[in-house]
Amino acid sequence: MRLDLTDLTCKIGSVKFKNPVFTASGTFSYGNDLPEFVDISMLGAIITKSITYELRVGNPPPRIVETPSGMLNSIGLANIGVNNFIKDIIPLYKNIDTKIIVNIAGSTNDEYIKVLKDIESVSSDIVGYEINISCPNVEHGGMELGVDAKLSNKLITELRKQTEKLLIVKLTPNVTDISKIAEAVEEAGADAISAINTVIGMGIDIVKRKPTIYKTYAGLSGPAIKPIALAMVHKISKTVSIPIIGIGGIVNGENVVEFLLAGASAIQIGTANFRNPNVGEIIVDELNQYLKENEILHYSELIGKLNLYE
Amino acid sequence: MRLDLTDLTCKIGSVKFKNPVFTASGTFSYGNDLPEFVDISMLGAIITKSITYELRVGNPPPRIVETPSGMLNSIGLANIGVNNFIKDIIPLYKNIDTKIIVNIAGSTNDEYIKVLKDIESVSSDIVGYEINISCPNVEHGGMELGVDAKLSNKLITELRKQTEKLLIVKLTPNVTDISKIAEAVEEAGADAISAINTVIGMGIDIVKRKPTIYKTYAGLSGPAIKPIALAMVHKISKTVSIPIIGIGGIVNGENVVEFLLAGASAIQIGTANFRNPNVGEIIVDELNQYLKENEILHYSELIGKLNLYE
Amino acid sequence: MIIDKSEIIENIQIADGIWQMVFKSSGIADRYLGAGQFVSILVDDNWEHPIRRPMSIADVKDNKVSIIYKVFGSVTQSLTQLKSEDYIDVLGPLGNTFNVDYNLIYPILIGGGIGLSPILNLSKSLAQKGIGVTTIIGAKTSNEHFLQHNPNNNMFLCTDDGTVGINGTVIEALNIVLKDIKNPKIFACGPEPMLFSIQKMLDKKSIPGQFSVESCMACGMGICQGCAIPNNNNGYHLVCKAGPVFETNEVRFD
Amino acid sequence: MIIDKSEIIENIQIADGIWQMVFKSSGIADRYLGAGQFVSILVDDNWEHPIRRPMSIADVKDNKVSIIYKVFGSVTQSLTQLKSEDYIDVLGPLGNTFNVDYNLIYPILIGGGIGLSPILNLSKSLAQKGIGVTTIIGAKTSNEHFLQHNPNNNMFLCTDDGTVGINGTVIEALNIVLKDIKNPKIFACGPEPMLFSIQKMLDKKSIPGQFSVESCMACGMGICQGCAIPNNNNGYHLVCKAGPVFETNEVRFD
Ligand SMILES: Cc1cc2nc3c(=O)[nH]c(=O)nc-3n(C[C@H](O)[C@H](O)[C@H](O)COP(=O)(O)OP(=O)(O)OC[C@H]3O[C@@H](n4cnc5c(N)ncnc54)[C@H](O)[C@@H]3O)c2cc1C
Ligand SMILES: Cc1cc2nc3c(=O)[nH]c(=O)nc-3n(C[C@H](O)[C@H](O)[C@H](O)COP(=O)(O)OP(=O)(O)OC[C@H]3O[C@@H](n4cnc5c(N)ncnc54)[C@H](O)[C@@H]3O)c2cc1C
Ligand SMILES: Cc1cc2nc3c(=O)[nH]c(=O)nc-3n(C[C@H](O)[C@H](O)[C@H](O)COP(=O)(O)O)c2cc1C
Ligand SMILES: Cc1cc2nc3c(=O)[nH]c(=O)nc-3n(C[C@H](O)[C@H](O)[C@H](O)COP(=O)(O)O)c2cc1C
Ligand code: FES
Ligand code: FES
């Protein structure tokens, strides 16, 4: 027997999505300006690139380089700033047939709050926010806010006061114990957790005797980090009860199933978009196919259904 | 012009090595029982697999699995224990034409000290110890000792009292700030730092709906982690002044040059040995070749010679 | 044990998803000790797949070594792309051999799935010595078989779906075969569940046997400790070094 | 822009380490706008190399698209292994085109290293329109050249070692050529140091020009922001989208 009907509808907080396949921040622009062959209506949601208060031109090149089964990037949060975003991009979302989540970044708590408030102040079709806490924070000596449970809790507590929309916190993997940060942001009222952002890495060009990326350290993404991401998603799922959106090295439907089994309720596709920006649609198909072949009616039957050995 | 003579001799603490190409703990047995086509006299040093006080049979299978450009392992410190090591293995080192460094692991500070003292108590050709602080520590709730600067400092301070031989500390990458741990063990009197041990990861078998490794979480190694290792070696080199032995995803001579430029004074080869246990000899050749082509007399001219962009 | 860049002589599909490759390696052929031993192959220099793939030796003739492989994942998939005159990087021979004390026992050989390779090898080498054996080869369906069901010649095929030979698993075939045999000893290789079933049956009937077992291997030569399989002493054997062949009562599958 | 599994028609070495590949893609040919545009290729499904490789379009004829590539690293190395009738995954056409306002200026085309591909393309398309141009192609040594030095036909080769054509860089050749030309405009593609030298020279002599520039690309279609190159306004252009062709004074190499 093979099922003919499978159900991919996905709920996070009070928001319903067509399916649990989202695109990751920084890998799908603002959801606009994509090649014509990409059908975004097939996606569960699009996460915009990180929006900051002022526009940022980003870092000098080189900004990206390939590594074994992965890539390093240090784009430097290049983005048009919240004002241009509200003026030029938000109006486009009226005609978009998928859910939009705005990723927000900042160098100070204040910056996050201002960006979120400004977007809240206009009526829009945005369903929620993903808070990128992996940015260097000037108030804390350039340290990433997201490595400190208390600071993360404080930021999310403040942001929670400003919005009733979906508030998702995106965690950095560059910490000793990601569960602590997950607990702290759950306690602060986050609706969900995204994990993981990129892993700190570095490349060296032995001919030039320079780093392969201008900023020396950069973010590692792609299949190389999938084992790291799976471990972190699994750990977080043992700690918190809010949904987790799994990210890291997903390139096909089987990878999605891995993340679901590890405890994710939805997933995001990052680096794989660069190879084929339509990979989301393909992955939705593969996921449907998998459910049919395994006679699973609703994809959520897979979430956390891992049988540990011990 | 091409140099005919290049110099790979390497000094760490007061110990001289033929060259800076070592084999990593757990990937080269105790330096014995290798295929006959492996010429260990070509290696700078061999680091033994981790020795604990009692013998350990290791973890149930599956213990290893491949990942994109890497592998996960959870061997569980399978080893013959210090007594058998002293009885059966140390005598073999008389006839070995390379330097031997003994890697030590334990579940308590006491276990490390006992193992080291027992080996110190017999006369041997061992030139030093590498302390694996990435093991779960029962005195600290199963937490890895190596994620805590104070605990690491305490352990190394105690071990320093027991030996005048080379004392190398092998750091775990699964920490927020590896520089802190590096500083702490330098302060405790370590002669050198090895970095990195494996990165925590996980794999999932979607057919069995089980982790791919019995113990759920496992250690990621291989080319996939090279960018992470390079970043950590570079960070550590900016913090401490003792030599660093770089480890992580090295598979060829060019990779060695990357680690040298990042600030390593020597390197270790791990996963690559499984593909070809003679890779060390090949890498020594490639390194020599590189020096000749670039007219570098002594390999140490490369150490830390990275030109940052900013 | 050597690492050899070996020239491929033949690489052909012999059944549904099952391929046979023959390559030239006097180095490996010279060191070869017998059925049960395996090689470990590297398809190309690609580091996306850092680890070699172990493959039982199906036959050695002069300087020619054969393997029989099933297409599972990406490495066996790319293996099918290689053509004669291409080169392949092979480590071997690895592991130990079946040990057939044929004066005392009657050998029954059982191969299931990709486990048929060492079994065919053993069967051929015993036949060459003029030793009578009975062979049972199991598969899911007829498409995966490339041999002939020939009970008169003591060659029994069986399929889960009954499309060829005996309808059922190798256990059913074994039950039929055992009826007529005195002092049987079983030599088996195949998936773990198959070996586990055979083990339980042999245990009950006090019949001796040897298994060639599989396990995930990183090195194939005893240096990674990855290929552990439980022994009956609360410890582990290394399959690549102590095995892959063990007496049936030396290993645990539970 | 489309992604096409394109059939390879030809893949041959045309000079030392330089290859030419022709593949069939009406989808890309139909959307092609002119010299300067590029495609981005994936050699196989291997995720060891997650990122496509950008390659300038060297020619489009009917539904056939050509690229000329130099073997640098592993991806271009495996590209050489592909044969006619194999398929290759191509994204394109990407980027903008050279814009030759040929009524007002005399085009001097300069290609260095792998930058010769869009330059040959431009030269050919201008020749088809009957527009006179002078072309300068630079390389390290004669082995890397597959064209003929032919000053009478306004085709100048130069080599760093003088083994063919003018002994020196394209700058030396340009200096010679410029002597006889009124209202020149330069169209150049090649390594960054070459473009930087040309830029400084043009700046001094107030000669206009367009450069096709390179940069590390992850997506080739404006979504990763990876391919930034400094503009003259303290910001960056995205080479894949605003470029790869820019007016010489719109980009900074310092
Ligand atoms: C001692 C020994 C001898 C072997 N002899 C043979 C042989 O003669 N012929 C043959 O075809 N195979 C043999 N195998 C199994 C073979 O090594 C695997 O099938 C191969 O590694 C699969 O590689 P892959 O990249 O194609 O698949 P992968 O992508 O690595 O795996 C794909 C699928 O294959 C399964 N798989 C992986 N490894 C094994 C394994 N060891 N056994 C069974 N399934 C596995 C996985 O569960 C996965 O679902 C042997 C294994 C061992 C340990
Ligand atoms: C818009 C554009 C058009 C291009 N057109 C062509 C073309 O027509 N023909 C052609 O041969 N190449 C072209 N390139 C360069 C080509 O993309 C690289 O040579 C290729 O990515 C190398 O891949 P690889 O895997 O073989 O080498 P890698 O292993 O990626 O790199 C090996 C070596 O090549 C060098 N390299 C890598 N990328 C580049 C690059 N972008 N430019 C110069 N050197 C590089 C690296 O520094 C390294 O030393 C173009 C690049 C861009 C951005
Ligand atoms: C080029 C690039 C740019 C990115 N930009 C952002 C960003 O602006 N904000 C953010 O939260 N994450 C950003 N990320 C991280 C991704 O959203 C994702 O967390 C990470 O790449 C891991 O997923 P992957 O392995 O599927 O790429 C970026 C990643 C890449 C590769
Ligand atoms: C199978 C295996 C076993 C290992 N065992 C040990 C060990 O016993 N002690 C230790 O300190 N490190 C151990 N390591 C870690 C390696 O020494 C090395 O730090 C790590 O693999 C990274 O290097 P690589 O990428 O070159 O493999 C082991 C690694 C592997 C793959
Ligand atoms: S496979 Fe490495 S020890 Fe057996
Ligand atoms: S290459 Fe991605 S934006 Fe240009």
Side-chain angles (χ1 to χ4, degrees), chain C residues 77-217:
Chain C
Q77 183 58 52
S78 24
L79 204 51
T80 64
Q81 301 299 308
L82 297 179
K83 298 185 176 52
S84 64
E85 294 182 29
D86 285 346
Y87 280 76
I88 183 163
D89 182 319
V90 193
L91 167 74
L94 303 169
N96 67 356
T97 64
F98 285 105
N99 180 1
V100 188
D101 40 357
Y102 46 79
N103 293 322
L104 308 170
I105 53 100
Y106 179 85
I108 301 176
L109 279 43
I110 309 179
I114 51 171
L116 57 72
S117 179
I119 292 303
L120 291 183
N121 188 350
L122 182 59
S123 149
K124 216 178 295 174
S125 71
L126 292 177
Q128 274 162 11
K129 296 188 191 150
I131 301 162
V133 305
T134 291
T135 306
I136 301 170
I137 304 288
K140 285 218 181 82
T141 172
S142 61
N143 303 343
E144 293 177 11
H145 274 309
F146 52 91
L147 301 163
Q148 298 303 317
H149 183 56
N150 192 347
N152 296 334
N153 215 356
N154 291 327
M155 169 61 91
F156 296 83
L157 300 196
C158 47
T159 44
D160 293 356
D161 63 1
T163 43
V164 75
I166 297 167
N167 184 347
T169 66
V170 296
I171 297 286
E172 268 124 299
L174 180 55
N175 265 319
I176 297 172
V177 164
L178 275 176
K179 280 185 199 136
D180 312 321
I181 291 177
K182 291 231 160 61
N183 295 327
K185 182 162 179 173
I186 311 300
F187 299 86
C189 182
E192 212 176 283
M194 173 188 119
L195 297 182
F196 194 22
S197 307
I198 299 178
Q199 190 186 45
K200 280 184 286 196
M201 176 176 168
L202 299 189
D203 202 37
K204 215 160 29 188
K205 305 197 177 184
S206 297
I207 298 174
Q210 284 180 357
F211 288 160
S212 174
V213 302
E214 282 191 9
S215 104
C216 265
M217 294 186 173

Side-chain angles (χ1 to χ4, degrees), chain A residues 69 202 209 217 227 234 307, chain B residues 69 176 202 209 217 227 234 307:
Chain A
S69 297
M202 178 179 181
R209 296 205 185 163
Y217 304 126
H234 187 260
N307 305 307
Chain B
S69 296
T176 305
M202 177 180 183
R209 298 209 183 158
Y217 304 127
H234 188 258
N307 304 307

Side-chain angles (χ1 to χ4, degrees), chain A residues 23-27 47-51 63-64 71-75 77-78 103-105 130-135 170-171 195-199 219-226 247-251 268-274, chain D residues 218 223-226:
Chain A
T23 53
S25 180
T27 68
I47 323 292
T48 69
K49 68 171 69 167
S50 285
I51 310 286
R63 291 179 174 182
I64 52 162
M71 63 177 278
L72 288 167
N73 89 79
S74 176
I75 306 295
L77 294 178
N103 181 297
I104 297 179
E130 182 181 67
I131 310 304
N132 175 1
I133 55 174
S134 322
C135 334
K170 183 167 180 182
L171 302 189
I196 58 177
N197 214 317
T198 52
V199 179
L220 184 63
S221 64
I225 67 165
K226 182 162 66 79
I247 322 171
I250 297 174
V251 305
Q268 295 178 21
I269 306 164
T271 302
N273 286 309
F274 300 151
Chain D
I223 63 175
C224 76
Q225 310 266 320

